[in-house]
Amino acid sequence: MNIYADSKMSDDQRCAELYRGAIFVHSPSPSALDLCRLARELVEEAFRPLDPLKVHESLPAEKCAEILGVVKPKFIHHPDAKRYIRGMLSELGCDLDNTYFDVPRLRTAFPGDYLKSGIAYAFHAHRDTWYSAPFCQINWWMPVYEVRADNCMALHPRYWSQPIKNGSSQYNYHKWNADSRHNAAQHIKADTRVQPHPEEPVELEPEIRMVCPVGGAYQFSAAQLHSTAPNTSGVTRYSVDFRTVHLDDVLNRIGAPNIDSACTGTTMGDYLKGTDFSHLPPEAMALYLDGTESKYVLSPSIA
Ligand SMILES: [Fe+2]
C-alpha cells in the first residue's frame, strides 16, 4: 500500500492511485482549519460548561446523545461547512468543476462503553461500498481536536484484495434513509438498525492508524475496510469526514474493484458540485440508479 504525503498529483493520477488502495495525507489547509474551528465552536457551545473531551465523566449518556442529536445535524447543515469544504478541496489541488462532495459529518468516539450506538455509532469493520457508495467514492477523514493512536480510526489493508463474506446484499441506501437514518439518537445502549457486517471472522491486524494534526486530512477509497478504533485514551475523539467523487470517473464508471459488495441503491444523489453545490447531472445519476430509489420514499414527517 502506498502512502503519499502532500502529493501534488493531478486528480486523475491521485484517483487512480486511490483506486489501487493508496492513502493520501494532506497537511492542514486554511479552510480545513476553519472547518475544524467551526466544529469545535458548535461542540463547545453545545456542552458548555463541560469540557467536550471529558463529557463522559459527568454527563449521563442519554443526555449526551440528546445533545449530539442537535449539534451533529447543525454542523452538517451549517452553510459555512459547505464553503469550507469547497475551500479545502481547492487548496488541496482538486478541480472543483469535476469534484463533487457530500456534506461533512461530525463524528464522536467516546472512551470505553460510554456511548457507542446510534448518534455516536462505533463503526464495526466495513467498506462504505457495502453501504451503496459507488466504487469511485473517496473518503476524507480529519481530526477536530488532537487525536492519538488509541482514539482514531483504523484501516485494515489485508482486505483490500481479499473478499469478506458480508451482509451487504440486505442493504439498500434508499431503504435506510426511509427507515433508519432519522432515529439514530434513539439508540443509546444498543443499535438495532440493520447494517452490513462481516459474516465471517475478520483479522483486523495489521492495521493502519493515521494520526494527523488538527485539520490534517487523509483520503482513502470507499472500498477500504475500516473501523472505529476502540477508544482507550480516556478522552473523546471528535472528527470530521466527508466523501468525494470525480465526475469523469462517475461518467466512465471507473473506480476501485468490487470484490464483495452486493448492496443495492446508490448514494450518488448526495454529492454536490464543488463550484455551485448543484447535484450530479441526470445522465451521470442514471448510470447508477437501479430502480430501488422509487421503491422507498421518506415518510412526510421526516422528509
Ligand atoms: Fe465508513
Side-chain angles (χ1 to χ4, degrees), residues 107 123 126-128 131 139 153 220 222 224 226-227 243:
R107 312 277 187 189
F123 269 94
H126 69 281
R127 310 183 199 272
D128 283 19
Y131 287 77
N139 292 12
M153 205 199 77
F220 58 97
Q224 289 277 7
H226 58 287
S227 64
R243 289 145 281 276

Side-chain angles (χ1 to χ4, degrees), residues 9 33 45 126 176 208 212 216 249 271 274:
M9 272 185 200
L33 289 168
E45 181 190 320
H126 69 281
W176 170 263
I208 294 179
C212 299
D249 293 350
Y271 308 109

Side-chain angles (χ1 to χ4, degrees), residues 184-248:
Q186 295 165 15
H187 297 264
I188 311 285
K189 296 289 182 205
D191 211 309
T192 53
R193 298 173 299 171
V194 177
Q195 301 194 39
H197 285 254
E199 294 182 345
E200 63 177 297
V202 171
E203 287 181 29
L204 297 179
E205 292 183 352
E207 290 184 344
I208 294 179
R209 297 189 183 190
M210 304 291 290
V211 184
C212 299
V214 171
Y218 69 97
Q219 293 176 267
F220 58 97
S221 163
Q224 289 277 7
L225 193 74
H226 58 287
S227 64
T228 306
N231 183 346
T232 55
S233 69
V235 292
T236 301
R237 179 258 286 169
Y238 295 83
S239 57
V240 165
D241 55 77
F242 60 94
R243 289 145 281 276
T244 55
V245 293
H246 197 260
L247 179 60
D248 294 344

